[in-house]
Amino acid sequence: MSKKLYLITYGCQMNDYDSAKMASVLDASHGYTRTQDADEADLLLLNTCSVREKAQEKVFSELGRWKDWKAAKPDRVIGVGGCVASQEGEAIAKRAPMVDLVFGPQTLHRLPELLDTTRRTHKPAVDISFPEIEKFDRLPEPRAEGVTAFVSIMEGCSKYCTFCVVPYTRGTEVSRPLDDVLTECAQLVDQGVKEINLLGQNVNAYRGPMGKSGELCDLALLITYLARFDGLKRIRYTTSHPAEFTDALIDSFADEPKLASYLHLPVQSGADRILGMMKRGYTRADYLAKIKRIRAARPDISLSSDFIVGFPSESDLDFVETMDLIAEAGFDGAFSFVYSPRPGTPASNLRDNVPPEVKKQRLSLLQNRIRGLDTEFKEALVGSRQTVLVEKIAKKGGGQIAGRTSTNRWINFEAPESLIGQFTDVVVTESQPNSLRGRWVAPTP
């Protein structure tokens, strides 16, 4: 009987990617298959994120619920991976004695050895080192799980923004060699993948070695190479840093039709004073100039961003400048949060002097504005013809299937289920709060 793995993931798309690789590694080495029932699991893993407030407490709260599962089956193994594991290390096992494995984002490939070690020694096995690119060299060959796939092209971040914990939990920037990225993408395309999303904490800092020449491949050139794959029809990437959003990347939106009409470009604040305190490396004017050029290159593009509200000393004027930037840039989506100090970051030494009620009020105003812009964007699509990659049966069923537009909007429409996995044209008929509705344009016989 196969052994069962129960795996919970917190955080970003990078963590989703890492979790899929954890499952793949454990399947290849020990024959684990995933289950959604924790009671039947032999191995329980928690892949964590430390970006937001109280991340550690969220982890220990979840582990508290797992304590009974361990008591019911003492030989059951519990592991904690990801950024909180990297940050806390052995302290996790000391505070939560039921934990057997602690591993960081860069050592998930060592899970089989860690598992064997804890079973042999009956002590927690901990590895939160940063072995750089070794992780990708040790992972099993990629397996497609649908027509879309994530491919991690780099790890870490070297920007050291004052509020961000990522450089301390995932390490500095390390890019995978170009040939390795192209090989993984080719294998996925051969398995039927039609859309690839390139991942990195700072994906546009990608500088992959090209063979033995000593030359480096940037993200714009990588997109050019990938666009030559006949079976690959759409390319996305996330997440970018404005300071390294190059002219070549902007030109890609004009030159490469396979590049999706969607960009997530975190700005964090619209006030130069706050951007300086955050150590973001650009000004408001720099950012807006790039947005103007991007829109000129791809007029129909959907733009989303990240915002931190209530950074230490943020004034009413600073917040107004952020709201003005939202209007000027015309974002139609955003991830926004109230500021919370992350342990070990430079900003954690600043006095968190914006009252909680002010933070919440500003966040509400910002999110309402973004929702309004999202509604305007979707309503402008009504009547247009969109090319959609069909991914699944619609949640509400009723003969409907669902796919995403190039602008990353879900659209539901009635059509044969045989279209799942294919591109097809749909006319947008209605804008809804979280999606679009459409009418399938059946191909002419």
Side-chain angles (χ1 to χ4, degrees):
M1 187 171 69
S2 66
K3 290 169 281 190
K4 300 293 185 181
L5 165 66
Y6 180 74
L7 176 56
I8 289 180
T9 306
Y10 295 153
C12 64
Q13 291 167 319
M14 288 291 292
N15 273 22
D16 290 333
Y17 176 87
D18 284 348
S19 287
K21 295 304 181 184
M22 291 177 200
S24 181
V25 164
L26 290 167
D27 180 22
S29 64
H30 288 70
Y32 280 95
T33 59
R34 292 187 71 167
T35 178
Q36 300 302 314
D37 183 358
D39 286 320
E40 71 175 16
D42 304 285
L43 172 59
L44 296 92
L45 294 182
L46 185 58
N47 189 12
T48 64
C49 174
S50 61
V51 170
R52 299 303 167 201
E53 185 178 14
K54 299 181 180 178
Q56 291 89 337
E57 295 310 310
K58 188 176 181 181
V59 168
F60 288 112
S61 177
E62 189 70 52
L63 290 173
R65 288 189 284 271
W66 290 9
K67 185 177 181 179
D68 291 340
W69 287 322
K70 181 79 168 182
K73 190 176 179 182
D75 60 345
R76 177 176 278 146
V77 175
I78 291 178
V80 180
C83 292
V84 172
S86 180
Q87 189 171 338
E88 298 293 313
E90 294 181 358
I92 290 178
K94 291 179 180 178
R95 181 172 169 182
M98 80 287 292
V99 173
D100 305 289
L101 307 172
V102 180
F103 56 99
Q106 302 285 37
T107 51
L108 65 87
H109 60 286
R110 296 177 179 174
L111 262 174
E113 294 93 327
L114 293 172
L115 188 59
D116 291 341
T117 297
T118 192
R119 283 177 169 161
R120 185 180 67 254
T121 64
H122 302 288
K123 295 179 180 179
V126 179
D127 188 346
I128 55 170
S129 59
F130 293 93
E132 294 190 344
I133 215 71
E134 174 194 308
K135 164 182 168 179
F136 295 102
D137 294 335
R138 297 263 310 268
L139 293 175
E141 291 190 356
R143 293 183 304 189
E145 298 180 359
V147 291
T148 66
F150 293 117
V151 174
S152 181
I153 64 172
M154 62 168 297
E155 285 277 350
C157 184
S158 299
K159 294 295 171 286
Y160 290 94
C161 299
T162 59
F163 58 84
C164 186
V165 74
V166 167
Y168 310 102
T169 58
R170 282 188 175 264
T172 54
E173 293 164 358
V174 179
S175 296
R176 295 177 66 187
L178 172 64
D179 287 349
D180 290 358
V181 174
L182 293 179
T183 297
E184 180 172 347
C185 291
Q187 291 171 329
L188 289 166
V189 172
D190 286 345
Q191 296 175 57
V193 167
K194 292 182 171 62
E195 176 183 296
I196 285 177
N197 195 333
L198 305 172
L199 297 180
Q201 269 76 36
N202 180 18
V203 71
N204 53 337
Y206 176 75
R207 299 293 185 272
M210 301 173 66
K212 297 179 181 179
S213 67
E215 295 183 31
L216 299 178
C217 175
D218 65 8
L219 181 58
L221 182 56
L222 173 58
I223 289 168
T224 300
Y225 282 126
L226 290 178
R228 297 176 183 173
F229 290 16
D230 289 338
L232 182 61
K233 304 301 182 184
R234 188 179 283 168
I235 303 166
R236 302 183 188 273
Y237 57 86
T238 196
T239 293
S240 297
H241 191 289
E244 288 187 298
F245 207 86
T246 63
D247 289 346
L249 264 180
I250 293 173
D251 292 341
S252 295
F253 282 110
D255 300 337
E256 185 43 66
K258 287 188 177 182
L259 185 59
S261 295
Y262 173 80
L263 175 63
H264 184 71
L265 191 60
V267 65
Q268 306 300 355
S269 174
D272 283 340
R273 188 178 69 85
I274 298 298
L275 290 172
M277 291 178 66
M278 289 178 167
K279 197 185 170 186
R280 291 293 286 173
Y282 53 85
T283 66
R284 171 197 182 92
D286 294 335
Y287 186 90
L288 288 172
K290 291 186 179 184
I291 293 297
K292 184 177 180 180
R293 287 200 57 211
I294 291 164
R295 287 201 181 280
R298 187 71 67 88
D300 67 340
I301 197 166
S302 168
L303 289 173
S304 65
S305 195
D306 288 351
F307 294 93
I308 294 174
V309 174
F311 191 80
S313 83
E314 182 188 65
S315 66
D316 289 342
L317 178 58
D318 294 327
F319 179 69
V320 167
E321 289 183 342
T322 295
M323 294 293 282
D324 287 347
L325 181 138
I326 289 172
E328 191 167 347
F331 299 115
D332 52 87
F335 296 100
S336 51
F337 307 89
V338 298
Y339 170 77
S340 60
R342 308 311 304 132
T345 61
S348 66
N349 296 317
L350 300 174
R351 190 161 65 91
D352 188 9
N353 57 356
V354 180
E357 60 273 16
V358 173
K359 290 181 182 180
K360 291 179 181 178
Q361 181 185 37
R362 290 175 183 172
L363 183 66
S364 178
L365 289 169
L366 187 150
Q367 291 179 337
N368 285 338
R369 182 60 179 135
I370 294 290
R371 277 193 291 268
L373 291 168
D374 172 51
T375 298
E376 291 175 16
F377 184 89
K378 294 202 297 286
E379 288 178 347
L381 294 177
V382 174
S384 69
R385 183 165 172 159
Q386 299 288 319
T387 299
V388 174
L389 177 55
V390 185
E391 296 188 34
K392 60 185 180 180
I393 296 173
K395 287 183 179 180
K396 294 184 179 180
Q400 293 192 347
I401 53 179
R404 280 184 302 156
T405 66
S406 179
T407 54
N408 210 33
R409 292 305 196 281
W410 282 101
I411 184 166
N412 303 311
F413 57 100
E414 293 182 4
E417 291 182 15
S418 58
L419 286 175
I420 293 175
Q422 306 297 321
F423 281 90
T424 193
D425 283 356
V426 180
V427 173
V428 181
T429 59
E430 184 182 350
S431 169
Q432 298 181 320
N434 299 311
S435 63
L436 301 167
R437 291 197 67 180
R439 183 183 72 253
W440 178 45
V441 181
T444 303

